[in-house]
C-alpha cells in the first residue's frame, strides 16, 4: 500500500488485465473499447427498446451461453431491460461501461446514492483501512452529475454558451 503502516491481506484484486509475464509499468495490453459481447448486448438493448423482446433474448442468451450460463428467463420488456442491465454489469465488469449504462437506463442517481449510503455506513466492508473512509460527498449523485461540463475552450469561442448546471 502507498499508505504508511497499511498492508492489504486477502483483499480482492481485479486480475482481468494482469499477465504474469509483464514487467511492472510495461505492458502490451490493449485496452478493450468494444468487444463482441458488448455489441450483442447493445443490439439486445436496441431490440428490446423497439419492443422486440423475443429478438433481444436471442442476443442476451448468446452472451450467457458463451459464459456457460443458462438462458435468461426474462419475458416482458421491463424484465428484459433489467436482465440486459445486469448482464452488462457482470459481463463488462471493469471495462468502464457501467456509468453510461446507468445513465442511459435513468438509474444512476438511485444506484450510486444507494451504494454510497452502504459504503459510508461501513467503509471497512469496502476495504478502506481502519480509520479511513470515502471523502465527504463521495458517491452522492444528483441530476447535474449526469451531464458533462462544456469545455471552457468552447465557452471562450462562443460566449453565448453558459456552463451546464453543477459546474
Amino acid at each position: 500500500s502507498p499508505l504508511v503502516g497499511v498492508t492489504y491481506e486477502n483483499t480482492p484484486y481485479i486480475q482481468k488485465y494482469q499477465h504474469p509475464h509483464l514487467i511492472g509499468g510495461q505492458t502490451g495490453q490493449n485496452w478493450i473499447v468494444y468487444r463482441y459481447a458488448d455489441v450483442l448486448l447493445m443490439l439486445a438493448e436496441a431490440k428490446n427498446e423497439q419492443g422486440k423482446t423475443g429478438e433481444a433474448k436471442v442476443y442476451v442468451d448468446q452472451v450467457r451461453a458463451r459464459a456457460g450460463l443458462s438462458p435468461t428467463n426474462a419475458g416482458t420488456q421491463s424484465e428484459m431491460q433489467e436482465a440486459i442491465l445486469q448482464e452488462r454489469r457482470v459481463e463488462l465488469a471493469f471495462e468502464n461501461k457501467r456509468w453510461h449504462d446507468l445513465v442511459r437506463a435513468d438509474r444512476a442517481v438511485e444506484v450510486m446514492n444507494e451504494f454510497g449510503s452502504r459504503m459510508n455506513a461501513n467503509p471497512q466492508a469496502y476495504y478502506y483501512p481502519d480509520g479511513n473512509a470515502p471523502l465527504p460527498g463521495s458517491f452522492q449523485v444528483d441530476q447535474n452529475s449526469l451531464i458533462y461540463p462544456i469545455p471552457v475552450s468552447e465557452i471562450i469561442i462562443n460566449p453565448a454558451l453558459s456552463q451546464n448546471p453543477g459546474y
Side-chain angles (χ1 to χ4, degrees):
S1 167
L3 303 173
V4 176
V6 175
T7 58
Y8 296 110
E9 294 179 25
N10 300 319
T11 303
Y13 181 79
I14 293 94
Q15 295 186 14
K16 192 170 190 173
Y17 306 107
Q18 186 178 26
H19 304 288
H21 65 276
L22 294 180
I23 298 170
Q26 299 178 17
T27 178
Q29 176 72 45
N30 291 321
W31 183 256
I32 296 168
V33 177
Y34 294 105
R35 57 186 178 91
Y36 191 55
D38 189 7
V39 173
L40 289 174
L41 292 170
M42 285 190 283
L43 187 54
E45 186 175 345
K47 292 291 186 183
N48 192 55
E49 290 299 314
Q50 294 171 356
K52 300 175 182 176
T53 302
E55 291 180 45
K57 182 180 179 355
V58 172
Y59 298 115
V60 172
D61 288 347
Q62 275 186 298
V63 175
R64 293 180 60 81
R66 194 258 327 132
L69 300 171
S70 59
T72 182
N73 57 5
T76 67
Q77 187 176 21
S78 62
E79 289 173 346
M80 184 59 70
Q81 184 181 34
E82 280 299 311
I84 292 167
L85 194 59
Q86 176 61 21
E87 200 63 38
R88 290 183 63 80
R89 179 181 183 186
V90 296
E91 176 68 31
L92 306 173
F94 309 107
E95 294 182 23
N96 296 328
K97 307 285 183 177
R98 181 74 171 154
W99 172 255
H100 291 102
D101 289 346
L102 291 173
V103 170
R104 196 171 54 254
D106 197 26
R107 303 259 321 268
V109 172
E110 168 197 348
V111 170
M112 293 304 295
N113 287 334
E114 182 183 311
F115 175 77
S117 294
R118 288 193 319 266
M119 179 180 279
N120 288 322
N122 187 5
Q124 281 64 50
Y126 294 89
Y127 305 99
Y128 278 86
D130 287 336
N132 289 282
L135 294 172
S138 297
F139 303 103
Q140 293 177 1
V141 176
D142 62 18
Q143 290 298 315
N144 291 337
S145 305
L146 306 181
I147 55 175
Y148 291 110
I150 298 173
V152 173
S153 59
E154 295 300 318
I155 294 173
I156 291 169
I157 292 169
N158 183 356
L161 290 175
S162 59
Q163 188 55 271
N164 285 328
Y167 298 98

